Amino acid sequence: MKPIFKLLSIALLLTFIISCNDDDDNLISKSFTVTIKNVFEVKDYFNSGTISESGIAPGTSTSFSFNAGKGHYLQFGTMLVKSNDLFYAPSDTGIALYDSNGNATTGNITSQIKLWDAGTEVNETPGMGTNQPMNQSGPNTGTDENGNVHIVNDGFTYPSIEDVISVMITHDGGTLFTVTINNISDTSTLDTPLAPGTWVVHSENQKPMFTEGDTASLALEKLAEDGDNATMDTNLSSKSGFVSPFAPGAYSIGTINEIFTTINTANTALENLAEDGNPSGFMNVFNTPKGSSSAGALFPNSSYSFTFTANEGDSLSFGLMLVQSNDWFFGIDNITLFPNGIALSGDITNMVKLYDAGTEVDEFAGAGNSQPVRQTGANIGDSENGNVIEESNLSANVPTISTMIKVSIISN
């Protein structure tokens, strides 16, 4: 090759190299911050419902069913109709649905039922009072008592609890229970209907349906004086529902989702994240709630944040466990960080999906005894041997994604 052509070739090569370097220099690079907020509405009860809208006549029974896990308690109330404001219910702390060894409560639980006085209307002779439901001209006609909720002790003679009501509970498998209330009253004592009632399932740190020594709520007054359970049902249902913390999570930046891949078997790192809230198998972890100095779970109205730098062409993926589940996790799967060359910014909750890791058999959300809040150790649930999928077979009590989690991203 002649010197002039050799020099020309070298010049062209140098121009190409410089051009490539210029292209690299022109790549967009940005710092981003992602904020993940738990937006669950805090509830007073796990679940609630009504008891027999037509009441329970002597010699008849009614049943209701519910899901509950270890640490849950049952409370209910039904009016003794031939009274002014008396109702049958367990103690204000409720009936423990599992013992200390994790065994479900079953059998006859009538011994745990008490006859309560709502303290709202002056008592009259059982079955004879003109202000009792079967005799009165309308609801709420009796004399106000202005008292508090207490075990009845008014000087009148009432039949023993076991002569009026019998309560049985069965464990139907998994987390499902059925309670049956039998009205066994007859003319030998006081044949009385039992009015429509309400029930709640709650945990130890949630509120009971009523509290001994407190003034009865308007809802309890209506239930106990007139067998009207509508207001109590409305109040309880509005304050009942599924609530869950989130566990620490992990994220990846690049062109590959390093956290999870749908339709594939979860690896050990994802299994640990999705079943037990342990993200330690991943490189990039977020685990400290904003305002806290230590790692921990994310409870309602708290947030995680993490910051990273990304280049044009990169995508974001993340995953974090929905704690009141067996192996469900919220995730974002490879969303581009520079759509149309512009840094992604704003609310991206609509890009979040709820996934099932396919590693552990699902139980009723919030009640399963192999879910982290109730299990005795990590990785103890039944193996599912499935694949990672978008979860579509949710328990009936699980709300929409946007009422559980909010995710936003800003470019710095």
Side-chain angles (χ1 to χ4, degrees), residues 66-108:
F66 54 85
N67 285 276
K70 289 185 291 188
H72 279 147
Y73 295 78
L74 169 68
Q75 195 174 38
F76 65 85
T78 177
M79 181 193 183
L80 172 64
V81 172
K82 289 188 174 182
S83 74
N84 293 78
D85 62 345
L86 307 187
F87 63 100
Y88 290 106
S91 69
D92 54 359
T93 56
I95 295 171
L97 292 165
Y98 294 82
D99 66 19
S100 58
N101 295 317
N103 300 310
T105 297
T106 61
N108 191 320

Side-chain angles (χ1 to χ4, degrees), residues 173-351:
T175 58
L176 186 63
F177 291 82
T178 296
V179 170
T180 300
I181 299 176
N182 296 278
N183 183 337
I184 56 176
S185 66
D186 58 34
T187 55
S188 67
T189 53
L190 180 69
D191 57 329
T192 176
L194 301 175
T198 55
W199 59 266
V200 298
V201 172
H202 62 89
S203 60
E204 192 172 18
N205 59 354
Q206 291 178 311
K207 295 180 180 179
M209 194 171 77
F210 67 89
T211 302
E212 183 175 7
D214 284 357
T215 302
S217 64
L218 175 61
L220 181 61
E221 178 178 358
K222 288 184 175 184
L223 183 146
E225 285 188 14
D226 301 299
D228 179 358
N229 64 354
T231 302
M232 180 71 84
D233 179 45
T234 298
N235 287 355
L236 294 177
S237 61
S238 68
K239 298 174 182 178
S240 300
F242 174 77
V243 181
S244 177
F246 306 153
Y251 68 94
S252 69
I253 307 300
T255 58
I256 298 173
N257 183 345
E258 297 178 353
I259 309 302
F260 65 95
T261 306
T262 56
I263 318 301
N264 285 348
T265 303
N267 60 23
T268 300
L270 179 60
E271 180 178 1
N272 290 339
L273 180 148
E275 286 188 17
D276 301 302
N278 176 8
S280 61
F282 295 100
M283 180 179 297
N284 300 314
V285 170
F286 52 91
N287 59 12
T288 304
K290 292 178 69 174
S292 175
S293 59
S294 58
L298 192 68
F299 292 93
N301 300 314
S302 299
S303 300
Y304 288 131
S305 287
F306 57 90
T307 300
F308 58 88
T309 299
N311 298 319
E312 188 174 8
D314 284 341
S315 295
L316 165 68
S317 301
F318 71 69
L320 73 164
M321 183 189 186
L322 178 64
V323 171
Q324 292 276 18
S325 75
N326 293 79
D327 61 347
W328 294 348
F329 65 96
F330 293 110
I332 275 183
D333 184 8
N334 248 17
I335 62 167
T336 181
L337 289 165
F338 294 89
N340 301 315
I342 300 173
L344 184 64
S345 184
D347 190 323
I348 57 172
T349 306
N350 64 334
M351 301 180 185

Side-chain angles (χ1 to χ4, degrees), residues 80-88 114-118 121-129 132 145 150-164 188-192:
L80 172 64
V81 172
K82 289 188 174 182
S83 74
N84 293 78
D85 62 345
L86 307 187
F87 63 100
Y88 290 106
K114 303 176 185 296
L115 182 58
W116 294 91
D117 187 329
E121 184 173 301
V122 174
N123 292 337
E124 301 169 301
T125 304
M128 304 296 291
Q132 295 169 359
E145 188 175 3
H150 60 280
I151 299 296
V152 65
N153 181 22
D154 57 13
F156 292 116
T157 299
Y158 296 93
S160 66
I161 291 171
E162 294 79 6
D163 285 336
V164 176
S188 67
T189 53
L190 180 69
D191 57 329
T192 176

